[in-house]
Amino acid sequence: MQVYSEHLHAAWGLVQRGSPAAGVDGITTDLFAGVAQEQLGQMHRQLRRESYRASPAKGFFVAKKNGGQRLIGLSTVRDRVLQRYLLQSIYPRLEATFSSSAFAYRPGLSIYGAVDRVMADYGKQPTWVIKADIHQFFDSLSWGVLMGQLERLKISAGWVRLIEQQLKAGMVLQGQFYRPNKGVLQGGILSGALANLYLSEFDRLCLAADIPLVRYGDDCVAVCHSYLQANRSLEMMHDWLEDIYLTLNPEKTRIIAPDEKFVFLGHQFQAQQVIAPERKWLKTSKQKKAIQPVYGPPKACSIVRDPEKKLRPKKSTDEYWRDGMTTLYVTEQGAYLRVKHKQFQVFHERELRCSVPANSITHVVLFGACNVSHGAVRLALQRRIPLLYLSDKGRYFGRLQTTGQARIDYLVQQVAKSQDEDFIRQQAINVIVGKLQNSRQLLMKLNRRRKPKSEVAVKSIKEMADLLKKLPEAETVEALMGYEGHGANLYFQAYGSLLKGPFEFDKRTRRPPTDPVNSLLSLGYTLLSQNVHAMTEAAGLHTHFGNLHIPKPNRPSLVCDLVEEFRAMVVDALVAYLINSDIYKPEDFTPPDGRGGVYLHPDGLKRFLKHWEEKLQQTVTHPHTGYKVSYRRCFELQVWEYAACITGERESYRPMVLKG
């Protein structure tokens, strides 16, 4: 990617004039100024190599005028410089798409221009006015829609990737790490321009339909000549916003009759006149103080209020950033997946079972005989949502997804590293260390809860510790595989002794799983692999160049490596919980089939998927970042850890090992 050093320095000059506050790294603009040359040089090199990584923003609340709170995100100084650089680079193309309706976040325009535009129509004759507000506007912008808009403007793919990285960097709030799945930072340098881009098509549709829209951010006003025109216009505005996953706020959206007053951008409108808070208009006889608006119930509003909204408790901090549904599981045999209004809809026996916005989905998992419409396939491919095909028993068949996501610079490095025996051996050792350490930690945790303690577990824990000491002595990957196999045998012997209830588990069996415990483990490992597979491809790494698992046709060896450290802490821990808590009974499983395979009944499968998603959303302290993040986020962080190892930014891969 072509990056100009002088443009970075110019961006730093603009950032320096702004807020001096520090981001999560504690570096203020004054501190940054002391090392600016070195830092800007490093940023320039990282951007050219496409190895720059965004940091989370620092979150804090500011009071609203209405008594509520607004969540603000402050990026690090480095990220602010990059955001300013990106904004300066892409803004001319963005500005060309903005309509005359938009007045916020544009050079040369202000609230006074917006008020003047409203007054030009409002002051002519008695009118009906639409006063609308978009609900949680900045927090609701779909990343998929934004990226598609940028790509259609022919914005450089490198710039689009950097913008997307900034959006997905997350936030640290009160010591906790939060990662949203949509939205832009309020207070971010890029946010205003991206918000205007997001609504550019909405603005155009309004003007094309003769709706005289005046918009300042998420505050909208349209002056209409009749109630019929106002009501019809409001309905169209509502539908167009739904198409881009936005909704109008029923508490702040109303149709105002000619004899009513309303407030827009601090200015009070009434009887074809406007009273300004600081400056007066020609039609006002005297300078008056701004009158505080008094809102009554909407007399003519087509938006239905939620009668229980006032009874609901205020959102907690984490509800702002809680991960929504990321995986759509279709388990009903004969189900039909289709698309309508950019939502995935699942029908079974001609009955709509669920409808999920496409922008909240990262995977679609189809079990058994499920049908998918051409429109659903097309939307999934457009949004880079993989469609995973499993049997009704949970065996993996394959995936449908777009190609060409691998980055060439990563691929070159992966191919080169695959010829470096020392590199392969060291990373293979690290992978096995992560697997065995986490396996021991789980055994110790389960054994502490067991009375009396399992002697088999105590012995295996000790032998696995001895095995870990021997790993550096192995001279080949084949020898390391032998140690890994021996450690797995010790682990599963002990694991079986720590399970309660009617289920017996002697050893690990697969293809097919021959008992209920193996059936749950196999299903969990399949889902884990597909999650890590998607994260690996999203990062731009080629999935077939592994270290412990050497490259083979039709085997994603790198994915096989990266899942090893998560098997015990995610899948095995979940299965032990389900068994020891009596969540599953023998009748939840099928009798052995002709091959001896044992599988979950449909109801049991749905129950497992529910607990699986809950497990992925569970938070732990990530050892390398110190942030408290979900397991799903940990998968992604470890993929980037390996990418840093490939590019030479990190000497050796560090597996994620949880403390006991």
Side-chain angles (χ1 to χ4, degrees):
M1 188 173 73
Q2 195 171 31
V3 181
Y4 297 101
S5 178
E6 57 271 25
H7 292 178
L8 273 179
H9 282 77
W12 158 236
L14 294 172
V15 170
Q16 202 171 10
R17 299 176 200 170
S19 171
V24 293
D25 58 0
I27 304 297
T28 63
T29 53
D30 289 340
L31 290 173
F32 190 91
V35 292
Q37 293 299 322
E38 178 186 346
Q39 286 293 315
L40 294 174
Q42 185 184 53
M43 288 179 64
H44 185 243
R45 291 189 295 272
Q46 289 176 338
L47 290 169
R48 291 184 64 185
R49 297 198 305 263
E50 299 186 8
S51 62
Y52 186 92
R53 296 287 174 265
S55 301
K58 182 170 73 174
F60 58 94
F61 291 102
V62 297
K64 292 183 179 180
K65 292 181 179 179
N66 62 6
Q69 288 185 315
R70 178 178 285 110
L71 181 59
I72 302 295
L74 181 65
S75 301
T76 63
V77 176
R78 277 169 56 92
D79 283 339
R80 275 179 264 168
V81 172
L82 178 59
Q83 291 166 18
R84 180 61 64 182
Y85 173 85
L86 291 170
L87 183 61
Q88 298 294 103
S89 301
I90 69 173
Y91 189 79
R93 296 191 196 181
L94 301 188
E95 176 65 32
T97 69
F98 300 160
S99 77
S100 58
S101 298
F103 285 84
Y105 319 117
R106 299 177 69 181
L109 300 180
S110 68
I111 62 172
Y112 301 111
V115 172
D116 285 340
R117 178 69 63 83
V118 174
M119 193 60 194
D121 291 325
Y122 181 78
K124 294 178 181 178
Q125 60 184 13
T127 54
W128 295 80
V129 176
I130 300 171
K131 177 72 167 61
D133 178 271
I134 302 174
H135 182 61
Q136 295 184 349
F137 175 53
F138 283 93
D139 296 336
S140 302
L141 303 189
S142 164
W143 294 340
V145 173
L146 267 176
M147 296 306 108
Q149 290 173 316
L150 291 169
E151 290 170 359
R152 285 192 292 274
L153 289 177
K154 308 296 184 186
I155 302 296
S156 163
W159 288 345
V160 173
R161 184 168 58 250
L162 288 170
I163 293 170
E164 186 175 17
Q165 187 187 102
Q166 290 290 325
L167 296 178
K168 295 182 176 181
M171 176 181 291
V172 176
L173 180 65
Q174 299 172 351
Q176 299 286 318
F177 178 83
Y178 300 94
R179 183 177 183 245
N181 55 15
K182 58 184 177 181
V184 297
L185 287 177
Q186 295 202 46
I189 291 173
L190 290 166
S191 299
L194 293 178
N196 276 336
L197 173 64
Y198 197 91
L199 289 177
S200 59
E201 179 65 11
F202 169 75
D203 295 342
R204 187 191 66 78
L205 289 170
C206 287
L207 295 181
D210 293 325
I211 302 173
L213 180 72
V214 177
R215 183 177 60 80
Y216 197 90
D218 59 343
D219 291 328
C220 306
V221 165
V223 178
C224 303
H225 302 301
S226 67
Y227 169 71
L228 181 63
Q229 182 195 6
N231 193 59
R232 187 179 298 153
S233 298
L234 185 58
E235 289 286 353
M236 289 190 290
M237 291 166 63
H238 179 269
D239 291 343
W240 291 332
L241 288 171
E242 275 197 339
D243 287 341
I244 52 175
Y245 312 110
L246 298 176
T247 59
L248 292 172
N249 187 342
E251 300 291 329
K252 298 180 179 180
T253 299
R254 48 196 305 246
I255 296 177
I256 299 157
D259 59 342
E260 290 186 271
K261 61 187 176 185
F262 69 97
V263 174
F264 179 56
L265 302 177
H267 294 70
Q268 180 173 289
F269 292 77
Q270 188 174 19
Q272 287 74 60
Q273 295 187 359
V274 61
I275 299 174
E278 294 182 355
R279 70 175 191 170
K280 65 181 180 181
W281 297 81
L282 295 177
K283 292 193 177 187
T284 59
S285 57
K286 295 181 180 180
Q287 181 74 31
K288 299 180 182 180
K289 292 183 178 179
I291 300 173
Q292 292 295 323
V294 179
Y295 289 113
K299 295 183 179 180
C301 183
S302 61
I303 308 296
V304 179
R305 288 175 182 263
D306 182 353
E308 299 186 1
K309 186 166 184 172
K310 294 182 179 179
L311 304 176
R312 294 173 183 168
K314 253 185 175 180
K315 284 187 174 182
S316 65
T317 299
D318 58 347
E319 282 180 324
Y320 281 100
W321 298 93
R322 183 173 294 165
D323 285 339
M325 182 180 181
T326 58
T327 304
L328 174 62
Y329 299 97
V330 184
T331 61
E332 297 285 354
Q333 300 305 290
Y336 179 61
L337 178 67
R338 55 169 266 185
V339 166
K340 187 176 182 180
H341 300 313
K342 298 182 181 179
Q343 294 191 333
F344 287 111
Q345 296 182 333
V346 180
F347 285 82
H348 185 251
E349 296 180 349
R350 299 184 178 182
E351 179 184 347
L352 179 63
R353 295 299 180 89
C354 74
S355 184
V356 188
N359 69 326
S360 68
I361 297 293
T362 58
H363 303 68
V364 176
V365 183
L366 305 162
F367 288 83
C370 299
N371 299 304
V372 186
S373 73
H374 175 75
V377 172
R378 181 175 61 187
L379 182 62
L381 293 175
Q382 287 174 343
R383 297 293 180 90
R384 297 180 179 177
I385 301 171
L387 297 172
L388 310 180
Y389 290 86
L390 281 65
S391 74
D392 59 336
K393 306 292 194 299
R395 183 178 177 185
Y396 176 71
F397 285 155
R399 58 198 298 124
L400 179 64
Q401 65 184 64
T402 54
T403 58
Q405 296 187 53
R407 286 176 48 177
I408 299 300
D409 58 334
Y410 284 172
L411 180 58
V412 170
Q413 293 288 349
Q414 286 183 271
V415 173
K417 298 292 188 183
S418 69
Q419 309 301 314
D420 187 339
E421 294 183 359
D422 291 336
F423 176 87
I424 293 173
R425 175 180 170 276
Q426 185 56 58
Q427 308 326 310
I429 290 174
N430 296 340
V431 168
I432 297 174
V433 167
K435 176 179 181 175
L436 295 184
Q437 287 278 34
N438 288 328
S439 298
R440 288 186 71 251
Q441 292 291 349
L442 178 62
L443 293 179
M444 288 188 288
K445 181 179 179 181
L446 294 175
N447 207 27
R448 282 196 296 268
R449 299 175 180 176
R450 191 180 188 277
K451 293 182 181 180
K453 291 186 172 18
S454 167
E455 294 299 324
V456 176
V458 172
K459 182 181 177 183
S460 292
I461 291 168
K462 183 180 181 304
E463 290 185 20
M464 289 171 72
D466 295 336
L467 197 61
L468 281 164
K469 297 176 183 177
K470 296 178 181 178
L471 287 178
E473 301 172 4
E475 297 181 356
T476 64
V477 173
E478 289 75 15
L480 288 169
M481 290 290 289
Y483 284 129
E484 188 268 341
H486 182 48
N489 289 333
L490 291 171
Y491 168 73
F492 281 118
Q493 289 173 13
Y495 182 78
S497 72
L498 297 170
L499 300 179
K500 306 175 186 176
F503 301 111
E504 293 185 0
F505 177 80
D506 298 322
K507 61 180 181 179
R508 177 78 179 108
T509 60
R510 67 199 80 179
R511 300 178 186 171
T514 54
D515 57 75
V517 177
N518 271 297
S519 181
L520 295 175
L521 290 173
S522 291
L523 178 58
Y525 293 154
T526 297
L527 296 174
L528 171 64
S529 295
Q530 299 317 307
N531 272 268
V532 176
H533 193 293
M535 301 284 186
T536 305
E537 288 202 325
L541 291 166
H542 199 291
T543 57
H544 281 53
F545 287 92
N547 297 289
L548 178 65
H549 299 84
I550 61 175
K552 286 185 179 180
N554 301 318
R555 183 176 75 176
S557 299
L558 177 57
V559 176
C560 295
D561 283 358
L562 295 176
V563 301
E564 294 293 353
E565 64 206 73
F566 293 107
R567 290 181 183 271
M569 74 171 79
V570 177
V571 178
D572 302 351
L574 173 62
V575 171
Y577 164 75
L578 296 174
I579 297 295
N580 292 343
S581 301
D582 294 324
I583 292 174
Y584 281 107
K585 306 293 184 185
E587 52 267 27
D588 290 315
F589 297 86
T590 66
D593 60 15
R595 299 174 60 229
V598 174
Y599 305 97
L600 279 168
H601 285 301
D603 288 344
L605 174 60
K606 293 177 183 178
R607 205 181 315 149
F608 183 91
L609 295 175
K610 172 182 174 294
H611 286 285
W612 171 254
E613 283 297 314
E614 290 175 352
K615 183 68 177 180
L616 295 189
Q617 293 174 18
Q618 182 181 330
T619 58
V620 292
T621 300
H622 187 260
H624 309 326
T625 64
Y627 298 139
K628 210 164 180 175
V629 298
S630 68
Y631 276 117
R632 184 179 274 116
R633 174 64 169 162
C634 289
F635 302 160
E636 184 178 5
L637 290 173
Q638 290 305 112
V639 169
W640 285 115
E641 170 77 19
Y642 187 80
C645 177
I646 284 291
T647 58
E649 292 183 34
R650 196 168 306 285
E651 184 177 344
S652 185
Y653 177 74
R654 299 176 299 174
M656 179 177 169
V657 178
L658 294 183
K659 296 180 179 179

